[in-house]
Amino acid sequence: MCIFIFTSDNGPEMTEPWNGWAGPWRGTYFTGLEGSLRVPFIVSWPGKIPAGRVSTEIVHEIDLFTTVAAIVGGKVPTDRAIDGVDQSQFLLGKQQQSNRDGFVVYVGNEIYGVKWQNWKMMFKELETGTGPVEQWSIPRFFNFNLDPKEEHVLSYGPQYLWVRWPAGKILTDHLASLKKYPPIPPGVADPYVAPQSNDGEHQVVSDGKARLS
């Protein structure tokens, strides 16, 4: 069995002379803009994955762990938070929709917003990875079908503001997960013993990963 995957962890370089091009999207890597988030993803598995299929569904790089584990019959750990979802049925052509409709947008360790389907709810903006951060008192909403470069903030009318509900759920679920399974601070000893959770349980992880993203 040979599965070939070609992808990238971020968009184009931001500094000369290595800077790249993000096509119709704005932004470079280390920003929360679509130019940073949208990358090529090509997967080939002759006889298993239908050839020539093109999709605009959302697949996150963190989904690769759970997806490949499912394909090879591996077991995903149950003693920690796993942020990836199994996309094997989608990639194999057995379903048309991805098992993911959005994700929280991070730049470094900071949350910049949420992407949901063709929408974004953003709290901050960074034009390039080395530029100033613009932060807003209330979220801004963007629709990529109308504005692929994220240049025109949508009005706060009911025809757009409803997006805060599905996007907000992605964020609140993520924050609740972080509270239950906090990221491991750098420099801690291995095995790591996580703080006691609300249900009175400790999480002991021998390989230094209480949260796998």
Side-chain angles (χ1 to χ4, degrees):
M1 177 175 65
C2 181
I3 303 173
F4 175 85
I5 298 174
F6 175 88
T7 187
S8 173
D9 62 344
N10 48 245
E13 171 63 60
M14 60 188 172
T15 56
E16 297 282 356
W18 305 280
N19 57 315
W21 183 60
W25 316 107
R26 183 164 66 96
T28 66
Y29 88 92
F30 209 74
T31 72
L33 298 165
E34 285 298 285
S36 173
L37 303 179
R38 296 205 186 205
V39 298
F41 185 91
I42 302 171
V43 56
S44 175
W45 187 9
K48 297 290 186 178
I49 295 179
R53 181 181 174 214
V54 178
S55 175
T56 59
E57 292 286 300
I58 296 175
V59 174
H60 199 289
E61 65 177 354
I62 60 176
D63 299 337
L64 289 178
F65 170 71
T66 43
T67 301
V68 173
I71 289 175
V72 302
K75 184 177 179 181
V76 175
T78 58
D79 62 345
R80 68 201 70 182
I82 303 294
D83 293 319
V85 298
D86 178 10
Q87 300 281 15
S88 58
Q89 297 302 295
F90 170 63
L91 295 182
L92 292 170
K94 296 180 180 180
Q95 65 186 54
Q96 295 302 308
Q97 290 185 314
S98 163
N99 287 325
R100 174 185 297 280
D101 62 0
F103 53 88
V104 177
V105 177
Y106 272 89
V107 177
N109 293 325
E110 296 185 26
I111 293 176
Y112 271 53
V114 177
K115 177 169 181 175
W116 175 74
Q117 296 186 2
N118 284 318
W119 300 78
K120 256 191 187 165
M121 178 177 72
M122 300 298 290
F123 311 108
K124 303 177 183 180
E125 184 173 294
L126 182 60
E127 180 72 24
T128 67
T130 57
V133 177
E134 185 178 0
Q135 188 165 349
W136 308 307
S137 58
I138 56 176
R140 293 186 175 182
F141 297 89
F142 301 91
N143 182 329
F144 301 117
N145 290 333
L146 302 175
D147 178 27
K149 289 187 177 294
E150 302 169 77
E151 295 175 328
H152 306 287
V153 180
L154 295 173
S155 70
Y156 293 106
Q159 70 271 34
Y160 301 126
L161 202 55
W162 62 269
V163 178
R164 73 188 189 275
W165 297 114
K169 185 178 187 306
I170 292 174
L171 180 60
T172 54
D173 288 349
H174 179 69
L175 294 177
S177 175
L178 283 176
K179 186 175 181 180
K180 184 174 182 180
Y181 301 101
I184 302 175
V188 297
D190 188 16
Y192 170 70
V193 179
Q196 191 171 25
S197 64
N198 294 333
D199 56 13
E201 295 182 353
H202 284 283
Q203 182 186 38
V204 182
V205 183
S206 61
D207 63 357
K209 291 184 176 65
R211 180 181 199 90
L212 183 57
S213 296

